[in-house]
Amino acid sequence: MHGWNGKILTIDLTNRKFSESDIHKDYLPEYLGGRGLAIRLLWDLIKPGTDPLSPENCLILATGPLTGYPLPSSGKLVIAAKSPLTGGYGDGNIGTRAAVEIRKAGYDAIVVKGAASKPVVLYIERGKVEFWSADDLWGLGTHEAEEKLIREYGKDVGTLLIGPAGENLVKYATVISEYGRSAGRPGMGAVMGSKKVKAIVIKGDNLPEPADRNELIKLGTEALRKVKESKNYDFWMRQGTMATIVWSNTNSVLPTYNFKEGVFEYADKISGDVMEKMKISQKGCPNCNMPCGMMVEAKTDLGAVKAELDYENVAMLGSNIGLGDLDKVSYLNNLADDLGIDTISLGSNIAFAMEASEKGLIDEKIEWGDFKAAVDLVKKIVSREGIGALLAEGVKYASEKLGGEATKFAMHIKGLEISAYDCHTAPGMALAYGTSPIGAHHKDAWLISIEIQMGKEGRLSYSLEKAEKLVWLQNVRGGMFESLTTCRLPWVEVGLDLEYYPKLLKAATGITYTWDDIYTVAQRIYTLIRAFWVREYLASGREWNRELDIPPRRWFEDPLTKGPFAGAKLDINGYNKLLDKYYELRGWDSRGIPRRSTLEKLGLSFAIPELEKLTKLTP
Ligand code: PTT
Ligand code: SF4
């Protein structure tokens, strides 16, 4: 075998044991790695209906056949589990040295199961796992805890850790690495916390041997050079994802006041240009020559901090909560990283509380743009105090508890808070959120950039071609990149030719994958993830229906009141037409459940008996 290690490390926390096993011979060629391997392992290892915060859930760290090799932006890792926030499949993709070290330690994936009785640090090398006490780290923020780990283990290790949010099982706690990389929006940090794992430290030695080392190095070097020669490179290096603030505002999609509007009157105060003036350094993931981690120094009444800014963080903790001051937004961003909580869901929960306060649905007075109230609320959420205990469960739960009108402005899909694009004027992007395999996240399909290029009429249309584009984007981004596992930004942001990827895959594994083969792998992954959601919902006594793929009522009922698209909102009939087309293209029925014939065609027949115990499958 080339390009993969072919091995999984399983760590059983309950019994403080570990074992190595060979990965089933078909899994790697059929699912590639990363997300593909993670969903197959979750399907196999988790009993239907498992409580996500119980020892029976598994936390999976999965790499792919390109991870760690000298080619563009290859230091990425998928962290997956059954999500405590949504009850379905959850994952996140983190750029960290830990990704490379896992591969170098001889594994394609690590499965962490059971639960420790006391806080632990897991130290992993090839063929070795040590369980160290984490008593001195439990309760610490991720910044201080990581510093201690580096002092203890040295700089040449990979680290993954949780903050107090993960320890306190906040449902949107994430896993953090390298002072501000964050992954696993649907509560992967809470799953790690439920297992009492404060940190995982990994040190490897050698990457698996590729099938054709010379070819891999030749292609990788050439692709790295192409990245640098791109015409967008210089601007990207100045602003990274922060350039999107102005773009989103100009195009009326910047989430503002809890997704009420798409334009923000203070957008110029939180823009990429302002960030450039605050920038002190730039950092990146392993093997990346277009580093997007924009480190800024920010000063506020509450103190000075250093923070890593990205578009999503700034939009959700800035315009979406009415805060037009990048120093203060940076403070909140840094607090989220230190506490180990997702900035997107956090911004949505703060905005939800502000709107609920405005409407008199809660007793607390939390006004739009009130920085100190927001900081106070974050601390309450993480310690689960007062209103924070409700919001620690996410906006879906909080809105159902408050009842009535609250569910209309709880901005989530399937329980995951929507990331930073307002969709009053973007039906295709709304569909991308509706059908994202982890709940409302943009990573699988950034259809909005295509929609905006279609001009006003095209953008507002419900043309079925949008569903076709969506499936293609999902297959490339959420299927291929999440499984290879490399960063997609060299392609998305500086236009690296996609044709490099099948070639690199061949050089790594020795197997020829045509684009049709890659799309089939992606279809398999999306369909198995969907089967997992259906299985987990029905086995937990929850209903499954197409309503779960429909965005919140706000976008259909409350038109925009500002900007060039004032008066615009989504149309439910148009949306349902797109959704039907999407299901048809995926081979799912009108409930959004994979058809029996689709499961058979994609080599997923093993899922049929389990699903048939729970529902009648459409032929
Ligand atoms: C990702 C989501 C994103 S997507 C952002 S900003 W983005 C937020 N970042 C957070 C953060 O920071 N701190 C925090 N406490 N919470 C945060 N939550 C949000 O998490 C990230 C980059 C980015 S920056 C993007 S788009 C791309 N995402 C990729 C992806 O998903 N797959 C892939 N193959 N390549 C990608 N490249 C880019 O990676 P999640 P990271 Mg992240 C401070 O994890 O759960 O997927 O959510 O991983 O290493 O930080 O890189 O404008
Ligand atoms: Fe990491 Fe950004 Fe480079 Fe992607 S572009 S590998 S997220 S630093």
Side-chain angles (χ1 to χ4, degrees):
M1 171 173 296
H2 293 287
W4 291 287
N5 287 299
K7 289 219 178 306
I8 297 182
L9 173 70
T10 301
I11 301 176
D12 175 353
L13 292 160
T14 309
N15 299 303
R16 284 173 88 91
K17 282 189 179 152
F18 68 94
S19 60
E20 282 184 4
S21 53
D22 292 337
I23 300 180
H24 187 293
K25 69 172 180 33
D26 298 336
Y27 285 9
L28 294 171
E30 286 180 7
Y31 298 90
L32 293 180
R35 174 184 265 179
L37 184 57
I39 181 58
R40 183 64 218 241
L41 293 175
L42 281 175
W43 181 277
D44 290 353
L45 296 173
I46 291 186
K47 265 210 235 113
T50 291
D51 172 355
L53 294 178
S54 70
E56 286 71 40
N57 198 2
C58 292
L59 184 73
I60 312 237
L61 313 177
T63 66
L66 297 189
T67 312
Y69 287 140
L71 53 94
S73 311
S74 69
K76 286 270 179 182
L77 173 71
V78 169
I79 304 185
K82 179 172 173 182
S83 160
L85 183 63
T86 67
Y89 173 78
D91 73 16
N93 190 313
I94 189 163
T96 164
R97 181 173 184 145
V100 184
E101 296 301 321
I102 291 174
R103 291 262 288 170
K104 283 184 166 175
Y107 308 109
D108 296 309
I110 297 178
V111 175
V112 184
K113 64 178 195 181
S117 53
K118 290 170 77 185
V120 288
V121 173
L122 299 174
Y123 178 77
I124 301 168
E125 282 183 15
R126 190 179 289 266
K128 171 169 131 182
V129 178
E130 292 172 350
F131 301 76
W132 292 99
S133 164
D135 284 349
D136 59 331
L137 299 178
W138 201 252
L140 295 186
T142 62
H143 297 337
E144 191 181 347
E146 187 153 16
E147 259 165 40
K148 284 192 167 209
L149 288 174
I150 299 294
R151 273 205 297 278
E152 174 102 18
Y153 297 100
K155 280 202 170 133
D156 56 344
V157 293
T159 50
L160 298 167
L161 60 168
I162 57 165
E167 295 171 13
N168 295 335
L169 311 182
V170 175
K171 297 275 172 69
Y172 41 97
T174 56
V175 178
I176 303 278
S177 184
E178 297 169 16
Y179 311 96
R181 299 268 127 183
S182 160
R185 294 196 51 219
M188 300 303 100
V191 173
M192 195 157 147
S194 72
K195 300 188 172 307
K196 290 238 166 7
V197 177
K198 176 72 182 179
I200 303 177
V201 179
I202 309 128
K203 185 171 168 149
D205 42 53
N206 280 315
L207 284 168
E209 190 55 31
D212 188 339
R213 176 172 282 276
N214 291 340
E215 179 69 1
L216 187 81
I217 290 173
K218 188 186 118 221
L219 285 168
T221 311
E222 188 181 296
L224 282 159
R225 199 186 68 237
K226 295 264 179 196
V227 166
K228 279 206 151 175
E229 286 170 0
S230 137
K231 64 177 179 358
N232 298 341
Y233 186 76
D234 290 342
F235 187 55
W236 171 261
M237 290 297 281
R238 277 174 44 201
Q239 298 206 349
T241 61
M242 280 294 291
T244 313
I245 293 281
V246 167
W247 179 85
S248 287
N249 196 55
T250 309
N251 290 301
S252 274
V253 295
L254 183 67
T256 303
Y257 301 112
N258 198 23
F259 290 92
K260 259 192 265 185
E261 306 291 348
V263 290
F264 183 44
E265 58 274 36
Y266 304 115
D268 61 335
K269 306 242 180 311
I270 56 169
S271 68
D273 289 347
V274 178
M275 181 279 297
E276 278 196 70
K277 294 191 187 109
M278 296 163 66
K279 186 153 87 170
I280 49 167
S281 63
Q282 209 157 325
K283 66 181 204 193
C285 312
N287 297 329
C288 180
N289 64 347
M290 47 177 283
C292 67
M294 303 295 163
M295 295 299 298
V296 299
E297 194 161 50
K299 296 186 182 70
T300 71
D301 294 351
L302 300 180
V305 295
K306 293 186 178 125
E308 181 181 337
L309 299 184
D310 266 307
Y311 166 71
E312 300 288 329
N313 307 344
V314 174
M316 295 306 289
L317 295 170
S319 51
N320 202 45
I321 66 166
L323 183 57
D325 178 326
L326 198 56
D327 283 281
K328 291 176 178 167
V329 173
S330 305
Y331 186 96
L332 282 168
N333 192 155
N334 178 61
L335 189 61
D337 289 346
D338 194 36
L339 297 171
I341 190 166
D342 176 48
T343 49
I344 298 174
S345 290
L346 184 63
S348 197
N349 276 274
I350 297 171
F352 174 82
M354 287 173 168
E355 187 159 355
S357 170
E358 181 181 57
K359 293 191 156 75
L361 300 176
I362 56 174
D363 296 335
E364 289 74 3
K365 286 275 154 273
I366 314 168
E367 291 190 359
W368 293 109
D370 183 338
F371 168 58
K372 287 192 180 144
V375 170
D376 192 45
L377 191 58
V378 174
K379 291 182 180 164
K380 284 194 171 136
I381 290 173
V382 169
S383 57
R384 290 181 165 272
E385 194 193 319
I387 184 82
L390 186 69
L391 297 169
E393 298 292 308
V395 295
K396 176 176 186 294
Y397 178 90
S399 66
E400 285 165 0
K401 281 280 162 197
L402 293 180
E405 203 197 346
T407 55
K408 179 165 154 187
F409 61 86
M411 300 307 288
H412 72 91
I413 296 172
K414 301 187 198 67
L416 183 67
E417 287 78 5
I418 298 172
S419 44
Y421 298 97
D422 183 80
C423 289
H424 279 92
T425 56
M429 190 66 210
L431 184 70
Y433 281 138
T435 59
S436 150
I438 62 166
H441 192 40
H442 61 288
K443 89 159 145 215
D444 287 74
W446 200 41
L447 197 65
I448 197 137
S449 70
I450 297 178
E451 275 189 306
I452 284 173
Q453 285 165 33
M454 292 168 95
K456 189 168 180 180
E457 207 180 308
R459 169 176 169 179
L460 296 175
S461 88
Y462 292 82
S463 116
L464 297 184
E465 179 202 324
K466 290 190 179 179
E468 285 163 14
K469 272 269 179 262
L470 172 59
V471 171
W472 177 74
L473 271 179
Q474 288 182 335
N475 285 348
V476 173
R477 292 167 58 117
M480 184 182 79
F481 280 107
E482 292 313 298
S483 306
L484 284 179
T485 301
T486 70
C487 179
R488 62 172 186 262
L489 297 187
W491 168 58
V492 176
E493 300 289 353
V494 300
L496 180 67
D497 192 345
L498 268 187
E499 292 303 330
Y500 274 106
Y501 292 94
K503 289 186 200 156
L504 286 163
L505 188 54
K506 166 100 200 269
T509 64
I511 305 173
T512 303
Y513 285 86
T514 63
W515 278 108
D516 277 351
D517 297 332
I518 290 174
Y519 296 145
T520 302
V521 171
Q523 290 273 22
R524 180 177 297 126
I525 294 170
Y526 274 82
T527 296
L528 187 55
I529 291 180
R530 180 47 72 113
F532 182 83
W533 276 88
V534 173
R535 182 186 89 171
E536 294 308 313
Y537 265 50
L538 296 179
S540 313
R542 297 170 78 171
E543 253 185 77
W544 183 271
N545 56 51
R546 65 186 281 137
E547 292 297 312
L548 290 161
D549 290 338
I550 297 183
R553 283 187 290 143
R554 158 151 288 167
W555 286 343
F556 295 97
E557 293 175 12
D558 300 343
L560 294 175
T561 68
K562 292 188 188 139
F565 287 90
K569 59 184 176 152
L570 291 180
D571 169 54
I572 190 67
N573 294 328
Y575 183 86
N576 269 317
K577 224 174 58 178
L578 284 179
L579 188 57
D580 280 333
K581 181 68 184 173
Y582 177 87
Y583 290 158
E584 181 196 318
L585 292 167
R586 283 265 177 242
W588 304 349
D589 67 15
S590 60
R591 301 168 296 172
I593 297 180
R595 291 171 178 272
R596 182 180 237 282
S597 51
T598 305
L599 293 164
E600 283 165 352
K601 194 173 83 194
L602 294 170
L604 300 173
S605 298
F606 61 86
I608 294 173
E610 274 191 49
L611 288 174
E612 278 190 332
K613 272 191 235 154
L614 299 160
T615 187
K616 194 166 163 23
L617 290 178
T618 309

